mmCIF file of all heavy atoms in Angstrom:
data_model
loop_
_atom_site.group_PDB
_atom_site.id
_atom_site.type_symbol
_atom_site.label_atom_id
_atom_site.label_comp_id
_atom_site.label_asym_id
_atom_site.label_seq_id
_atom_site.Cartn_x
_atom_site.Cartn_y
_atom_site.Cartn_z
ATOM 1 N N ILE A 12 13.101 3.403 10.818
ATOM 2 C CA ILE A 12 12.077 2.669 11.560
ATOM 3 C C ILE A 12 10.768 3.452 11.558
ATOM 4 O O ILE A 12 9.712 2.930 11.175
ATOM 5 C CB ILE A 12 12.547 2.388 12.994
ATOM 6 C CG1 ILE A 12 13.716 1.399 13.001
ATOM 7 C CG2 ILE A 12 11.395 1.833 13.834
ATOM 8 C CD1 ILE A 12 14.313 1.148 14.367
ATOM 9 N N GLY A 13 10.845 4.716 11.977
ATOM 10 C CA GLY A 13 9.625 5.531 12.039
ATOM 11 C C GLY A 13 9.008 5.766 10.680
ATOM 12 O O GLY A 13 7.795 5.596 10.483
ATOM 13 N N GLY A 14 9.845 6.150 9.706
ATOM 14 C CA GLY A 14 9.333 6.455 8.368
ATOM 15 C C GLY A 14 8.765 5.241 7.664
ATOM 16 O O GLY A 14 7.721 5.324 7.000
ATOM 17 N N SER A 15 9.438 4.084 7.818
ATOM 18 C CA SER A 15 8.954 2.878 7.129
ATOM 19 C C SER A 15 7.639 2.385 7.715
ATOM 20 O O SER A 15 6.746 1.950 6.977
ATOM 21 C CB SER A 15 10.014 1.772 7.192
ATOM 22 O OG SER A 15 10.261 1.375 8.532
ATOM 23 N N LEU A 16 7.501 2.456 9.035
ATOM 24 C CA LEU A 16 6.244 2.027 9.660
ATOM 25 C C LEU A 16 5.089 2.943 9.276
ATOM 26 O O LEU A 16 3.972 2.476 8.988
ATOM 27 C CB LEU A 16 6.406 1.982 11.181
ATOM 28 C CG LEU A 16 7.324 0.882 11.727
ATOM 29 C CD1 LEU A 16 7.531 1.043 13.228
ATOM 30 C CD2 LEU A 16 6.759 -0.498 11.410
ATOM 31 N N ILE A 17 5.344 4.254 9.256
ATOM 32 C CA ILE A 17 4.302 5.193 8.842
ATOM 33 C C ILE A 17 3.976 4.993 7.364
ATOM 34 O O ILE A 17 2.805 4.952 6.956
ATOM 35 C CB ILE A 17 4.737 6.643 9.109
ATOM 36 C CG1 ILE A 17 4.908 6.894 10.602
ATOM 37 C CG2 ILE A 17 3.699 7.631 8.540
ATOM 38 C CD1 ILE A 17 5.537 8.235 10.941
ATOM 39 N N GLY A 18 5.024 4.861 6.546
ATOM 40 C CA GLY A 18 4.821 4.668 5.114
ATOM 41 C C GLY A 18 4.037 3.406 4.810
ATOM 42 O O GLY A 18 3.130 3.403 3.964
ATOM 43 N N GLN A 19 4.374 2.319 5.495
ATOM 44 C CA GLN A 19 3.642 1.063 5.299
ATOM 45 C C GLN A 19 2.170 1.244 5.650
ATOM 46 O O GLN A 19 1.276 0.777 4.926
ATOM 47 C CB GLN A 19 4.244 -0.044 6.155
ATOM 48 C CG GLN A 19 3.470 -1.362 6.087
ATOM 49 C CD GLN A 19 4.029 -2.427 7.018
ATOM 50 O OE1 GLN A 19 5.220 -2.517 7.192
ATOM 51 N NE2 GLN A 19 3.161 -3.215 7.629
ATOM 52 N N ALA A 20 1.899 1.924 6.768
ATOM 53 C CA ALA A 20 0.509 2.153 7.186
ATOM 54 C C ALA A 20 -0.251 2.976 6.151
ATOM 55 O O ALA A 20 -1.416 2.687 5.848
ATOM 56 C CB ALA A 20 0.481 2.850 8.546
ATOM 57 N N VAL A 21 0.426 4.000 5.598
ATOM 58 C CA VAL A 21 -0.216 4.849 4.592
ATOM 59 C C VAL A 21 -0.544 4.047 3.341
ATOM 60 O O VAL A 21 -1.659 4.132 2.800
ATOM 61 C CB VAL A 21 0.696 6.046 4.235
ATOM 62 C CG1 VAL A 21 0.114 6.833 3.058
ATOM 63 C CG2 VAL A 21 0.871 6.964 5.435
ATOM 64 N N VAL A 22 0.413 3.250 2.865
ATOM 65 C CA VAL A 22 0.205 2.470 1.641
ATOM 66 C C VAL A 22 -0.887 1.419 1.837
ATOM 67 O O VAL A 22 -1.744 1.213 0.966
ATOM 68 C CB VAL A 22 1.521 1.795 1.193
ATOM 69 C CG1 VAL A 22 1.271 0.851 0.015
ATOM 70 C CG2 VAL A 22 2.549 2.848 0.811
ATOM 71 N N LYS A 23 -0.880 0.759 3.001
ATOM 72 C CA LYS A 23 -1.854 -0.312 3.226
ATOM 73 C C LYS A 23 -3.262 0.203 3.509
ATOM 74 O O LYS A 23 -4.253 -0.474 3.188
ATOM 75 C CB LYS A 23 -1.391 -1.206 4.381
ATOM 76 C CG LYS A 23 -0.318 -2.210 3.981
ATOM 77 C CD LYS A 23 -0.193 -3.318 5.006
ATOM 78 C CE LYS A 23 0.627 -4.479 4.462
ATOM 79 N NZ LYS A 23 0.683 -5.622 5.386
ATOM 80 N N THR A 24 -3.373 1.384 4.113
ATOM 81 C CA THR A 24 -4.701 1.880 4.496
ATOM 82 C C THR A 24 -5.308 2.852 3.498
ATOM 83 O O THR A 24 -6.526 2.954 3.399
ATOM 84 C CB THR A 24 -4.652 2.560 5.880
ATOM 85 O OG1 THR A 24 -3.726 3.658 5.839
ATOM 86 C CG2 THR A 24 -4.224 1.577 6.951
ATOM 87 N N SER A 25 -4.451 3.581 2.748
ATOM 88 C CA SER A 25 -5.014 4.584 1.837
ATOM 89 C C SER A 25 -4.418 4.531 0.434
ATOM 90 O O SER A 25 -4.647 5.423 -0.374
ATOM 91 C CB SER A 25 -4.814 5.997 2.415
ATOM 92 O OG SER A 25 -3.435 6.318 2.513
ATOM 93 N N GLY A 26 -3.630 3.480 0.144
ATOM 94 C CA GLY A 26 -3.105 3.300 -1.204
ATOM 95 C C GLY A 26 -4.096 2.538 -2.067
ATOM 96 O O GLY A 26 -5.264 2.343 -1.696
ATOM 97 N N GLU A 27 -3.637 2.102 -3.229
ATOM 98 C CA GLU A 27 -4.483 1.321 -4.140
ATOM 99 C C GLU A 27 -4.278 -0.163 -3.830
ATOM 100 O O GLU A 27 -3.138 -0.627 -3.728
ATOM 101 C CB GLU A 27 -4.105 1.610 -5.595
ATOM 102 C CG GLU A 27 -4.057 3.102 -5.930
ATOM 103 C CD GLU A 27 -5.403 3.782 -5.776
ATOM 104 O OE1 GLU A 27 -6.408 3.200 -6.242
ATOM 105 O OE2 GLU A 27 -5.455 4.884 -5.187
ATOM 106 N N THR A 28 -5.370 -0.898 -3.666
ATOM 107 C CA THR A 28 -5.296 -2.302 -3.284
ATOM 108 C C THR A 28 -5.876 -3.195 -4.381
ATOM 109 O O THR A 28 -6.948 -2.904 -4.925
ATOM 110 C CB THR A 28 -6.065 -2.543 -1.971
ATOM 111 O OG1 THR A 28 -5.567 -1.658 -0.968
ATOM 112 C CG2 THR A 28 -5.889 -3.976 -1.503
ATOM 113 N N PHE A 29 -5.150 -4.279 -4.703
ATOM 114 C CA PHE A 29 -5.593 -5.212 -5.733
ATOM 115 C C PHE A 29 -5.387 -6.644 -5.243
ATOM 116 O O PHE A 29 -4.531 -6.912 -4.405
ATOM 117 C CB PHE A 29 -4.799 -5.014 -7.034
ATOM 118 C CG PHE A 29 -4.862 -3.620 -7.590
ATOM 119 C CD1 PHE A 29 -3.882 -2.683 -7.257
ATOM 120 C CD2 PHE A 29 -5.899 -3.234 -8.421
ATOM 121 C CE1 PHE A 29 -3.932 -1.398 -7.757
ATOM 122 C CE2 PHE A 29 -5.960 -1.949 -8.926
ATOM 123 C CZ PHE A 29 -4.978 -1.028 -8.603
ATOM 124 N N LEU A 30 -6.165 -7.569 -5.793
ATOM 125 C CA LEU A 30 -5.995 -8.980 -5.497
ATOM 126 C C LEU A 30 -5.333 -9.657 -6.690
ATOM 127 O O LEU A 30 -5.853 -9.616 -7.807
ATOM 128 C CB LEU A 30 -7.339 -9.658 -5.214
ATOM 129 C CG LEU A 30 -7.269 -11.178 -4.925
ATOM 130 C CD1 LEU A 30 -6.478 -11.430 -3.641
ATOM 131 C CD2 LEU A 30 -8.662 -11.776 -4.837
ATOM 132 N N ASN A 31 -4.156 -10.244 -6.444
ATOM 133 C CA ASN A 31 -3.459 -10.980 -7.501
ATOM 134 C C ASN A 31 -4.123 -12.349 -7.647
ATOM 135 O O ASN A 31 -4.032 -13.193 -6.759
ATOM 136 C CB ASN A 31 -1.976 -11.140 -7.140
ATOM 137 C CG ASN A 31 -1.161 -11.719 -8.280
ATOM 138 O OD1 ASN A 31 -1.577 -12.661 -8.938
ATOM 139 N ND2 ASN A 31 0.024 -11.159 -8.492
ATOM 140 N N GLU A 32 -4.817 -12.557 -8.756
ATOM 141 C CA GLU A 32 -5.586 -13.783 -8.947
ATOM 142 C C GLU A 32 -4.693 -15.010 -9.118
ATOM 143 O O GLU A 32 -5.129 -16.136 -8.879
ATOM 144 C CB GLU A 32 -6.505 -13.631 -10.161
ATOM 145 C CG GLU A 32 -7.565 -12.548 -9.962
ATOM 146 C CD GLU A 32 -8.484 -12.428 -11.165
ATOM 147 O OE1 GLU A 32 -8.249 -13.148 -12.161
ATOM 148 O OE2 GLU A 32 -9.422 -11.609 -11.106
ATOM 149 N N VAL A 33 -3.444 -14.806 -9.521
ATOM 150 C CA VAL A 33 -2.521 -15.929 -9.713
ATOM 151 C C VAL A 33 -1.977 -16.424 -8.375
ATOM 152 O O VAL A 33 -2.032 -17.615 -8.052
ATOM 153 C CB VAL A 33 -1.359 -15.535 -10.648
ATOM 154 C CG1 VAL A 33 -0.369 -16.691 -10.759
ATOM 155 C CG2 VAL A 33 -1.895 -15.129 -12.005
ATOM 156 N N SER A 34 -1.443 -15.479 -7.578
ATOM 157 C CA SER A 34 -0.837 -15.858 -6.294
ATOM 158 C C SER A 34 -1.841 -15.866 -5.143
ATOM 159 O O SER A 34 -1.599 -16.463 -4.100
ATOM 160 C CB SER A 34 0.308 -14.899 -5.954
ATOM 161 O OG SER A 34 -0.196 -13.582 -5.736
ATOM 162 N N GLY A 35 -2.949 -15.155 -5.333
ATOM 163 C CA GLY A 35 -3.940 -15.048 -4.267
ATOM 164 C C GLY A 35 -3.577 -14.033 -3.204
ATOM 165 O O GLY A 35 -4.266 -13.907 -2.184
ATOM 166 N N GLN A 36 -2.497 -13.276 -3.428
ATOM 167 C CA GLN A 36 -2.034 -12.299 -2.447
ATOM 168 C C GLN A 36 -2.578 -10.906 -2.761
ATOM 169 O O GLN A 36 -2.803 -10.564 -3.920
ATOM 170 C CB GLN A 36 -0.501 -12.260 -2.417
ATOM 171 C CG GLN A 36 0.129 -13.556 -1.940
ATOM 172 C CD GLN A 36 1.645 -13.507 -2.013
ATOM 173 O OE1 GLN A 36 2.211 -12.713 -2.756
ATOM 174 N NE2 GLN A 36 2.299 -14.358 -1.246
ATOM 175 N N THR A 37 -2.777 -10.135 -1.708
ATOM 176 C CA THR A 37 -3.214 -8.753 -1.874
ATOM 177 C C THR A 37 -2.016 -7.887 -2.228
ATOM 178 O O THR A 37 -0.963 -7.990 -1.601
ATOM 179 C CB THR A 37 -3.867 -8.228 -0.590
ATOM 180 O OG1 THR A 37 -4.966 -9.069 -0.239
ATOM 181 C CG2 THR A 37 -4.364 -6.797 -0.784
ATOM 182 N N GLU A 38 -2.159 -7.029 -3.212
ATOM 183 C CA GLU A 38 -1.086 -6.142 -3.642
ATOM 184 C C GLU A 38 -1.431 -4.703 -3.258
ATOM 185 O O GLU A 38 -2.575 -4.271 -3.389
ATOM 186 C CB GLU A 38 -0.876 -6.252 -5.155
ATOM 187 C CG GLU A 38 -0.451 -7.654 -5.602
ATOM 188 C CD GLU A 38 -0.200 -7.725 -7.095
ATOM 189 O OE1 GLU A 38 -0.665 -6.828 -7.834
ATOM 190 O OE2 GLU A 38 0.478 -8.685 -7.529
ATOM 191 N N TYR A 39 -0.423 -3.992 -2.786
ATOM 192 C CA TYR A 39 -0.610 -2.623 -2.320
ATOM 193 C C TYR A 39 0.246 -1.667 -3.155
ATOM 194 O O TYR A 39 1.472 -1.813 -3.211
ATOM 195 C CB TYR A 39 -0.229 -2.501 -0.845
ATOM 196 C CG TYR A 39 -1.011 -3.433 0.067
ATOM 197 C CD1 TYR A 39 -0.502 -4.692 0.391
ATOM 198 C CD2 TYR A 39 -2.235 -3.051 0.585
ATOM 199 C CE1 TYR A 39 -1.212 -5.553 1.225
ATOM 200 C CE2 TYR A 39 -2.948 -3.901 1.424
ATOM 201 C CZ TYR A 39 -2.435 -5.151 1.736
ATOM 202 O OH TYR A 39 -3.128 -5.999 2.562
ATOM 203 N N ILE A 40 -0.392 -0.687 -3.767
ATOM 204 C CA ILE A 40 0.307 0.273 -4.625
ATOM 205 C C ILE A 40 0.254 1.654 -3.979
ATOM 206 O O ILE A 40 -0.835 2.151 -3.659
ATOM 207 C CB ILE A 40 -0.338 0.328 -6.031
ATOM 208 C CG1 ILE A 40 -0.462 -1.079 -6.626
ATOM 209 C CG2 ILE A 40 0.463 1.254 -6.936
ATOM 210 C CD1 ILE A 40 0.846 -1.796 -6.808
ATOM 211 N N PRO A 41 1.387 2.315 -3.778
ATOM 212 C CA PRO A 41 1.379 3.655 -3.165
ATOM 213 C C PRO A 41 0.805 4.708 -4.094
ATOM 214 O O PRO A 41 1.017 4.669 -5.304
ATOM 215 C CB PRO A 41 2.867 3.918 -2.892
ATOM 216 C CG PRO A 41 3.598 3.061 -3.881
ATOM 217 C CD PRO A 41 2.749 1.834 -4.084
ATOM 218 N N ASN A 42 0.067 5.656 -3.516
ATOM 219 C CA ASN A 42 -0.434 6.802 -4.285
ATOM 220 C C ASN A 42 0.069 8.103 -3.655
ATOM 221 O O ASN A 42 0.987 8.086 -2.830
ATOM 222 C CB ASN A 42 -1.965 6.771 -4.378
ATOM 223 C CG ASN A 42 -2.636 6.758 -3.001
ATOM 224 O OD1 ASN A 42 -2.043 7.175 -2.003
ATOM 225 N ND2 ASN A 42 -3.861 6.268 -2.940
ATOM 226 N N GLY A 43 -0.524 9.233 -4.022
ATOM 227 C CA GLY A 43 -0.037 10.535 -3.575
ATOM 228 C C GLY A 43 -0.133 10.790 -2.086
ATOM 229 O O GLY A 43 0.467 11.757 -1.581
ATOM 230 N N ASN A 44 -0.829 9.957 -1.347
ATOM 231 C CA ASN A 44 -0.940 10.155 0.100
ATOM 232 C C ASN A 44 0.406 10.048 0.815
ATOM 233 O O ASN A 44 0.572 10.594 1.908
ATOM 234 C CB ASN A 44 -1.923 9.140 0.691
ATOM 235 C CG ASN A 44 -3.352 9.413 0.274
ATOM 236 O OD1 ASN A 44 -3.730 10.555 0.040
ATOM 237 N ND2 ASN A 44 -4.162 8.362 0.157
ATOM 238 N N ILE A 45 1.360 9.353 0.211
ATOM 239 C CA ILE A 45 2.689 9.266 0.838
ATOM 240 C C ILE A 45 3.339 10.641 0.944
ATOM 241 O O ILE A 45 4.109 10.915 1.870
ATOM 242 C CB ILE A 45 3.618 8.306 0.076
ATOM 243 C CG1 ILE A 45 3.746 8.697 -1.398
ATOM 244 C CG2 ILE A 45 3.146 6.861 0.214
ATOM 245 C CD1 ILE A 45 4.756 7.872 -2.189
ATOM 246 N N PHE A 46 3.000 11.546 0.006
ATOM 247 C CA PHE A 46 3.605 12.881 0.008
ATOM 248 C C PHE A 46 2.981 13.781 1.074
ATOM 249 O O PHE A 46 3.689 14.511 1.772
ATOM 250 C CB PHE A 46 3.470 13.523 -1.368
ATOM 251 C CG PHE A 46 4.126 12.742 -2.466
ATOM 252 C CD1 PHE A 46 3.389 12.231 -3.527
ATOM 253 C CD2 PHE A 46 5.488 12.476 -2.437
ATOM 254 C CE1 PHE A 46 3.984 11.504 -4.533
ATOM 255 C CE2 PHE A 46 6.104 11.736 -3.438
ATOM 256 C CZ PHE A 46 5.342 11.245 -4.491
ATOM 257 N N ILE A 47 1.661 13.722 1.211
ATOM 258 C CA ILE A 47 0.997 14.604 2.170
ATOM 259 C C ILE A 47 1.315 14.200 3.610
ATOM 260 O O ILE A 47 1.520 15.051 4.485
ATOM 261 C CB ILE A 47 -0.531 14.630 1.927
ATOM 262 C CG1 ILE A 47 -1.161 15.851 2.613
ATOM 263 C CG2 ILE A 47 -1.215 13.365 2.368
ATOM 264 C CD1 ILE A 47 -0.769 17.177 2.016
ATOM 265 N N VAL A 48 1.403 12.907 3.871
ATOM 266 C CA VAL A 48 1.754 12.442 5.214
ATOM 267 C C VAL A 48 3.218 12.767 5.506
ATOM 268 O O VAL A 48 3.566 13.216 6.609
ATOM 269 C CB VAL A 48 1.483 10.935 5.368
ATOM 270 C CG1 VAL A 48 1.976 10.437 6.727
ATOM 271 C CG2 VAL A 48 -0.001 10.638 5.208
#
């Protein structure tokens, strides 16, 4: 619970963000910040 909520926050706030033009949904890609947190 704790790790997933923190991990989700890290990916959504400081990961790589893209817009999928087909689905219209925002995509979130994890980067190295998951390791430092």
Side-chain angles (χ1 to χ4, degrees):
I12 292 175
S15 63
L16 291 173
I17 296 171
Q19 176 184 323
V21 173
V22 173
K23 281 197 167 185
T24 59
S25 64
E27 309 297 315
T28 305
F29 303 93
L30 178 64
N31 188 316
E32 296 181 357
V33 176
S34 65
Q36 295 176 338
T37 303
E38 298 182 342
Y39 302 93
I40 308 299
N42 57 22
N44 291 330
I45 56 174
F46 300 118
I47 198 68
V48 175

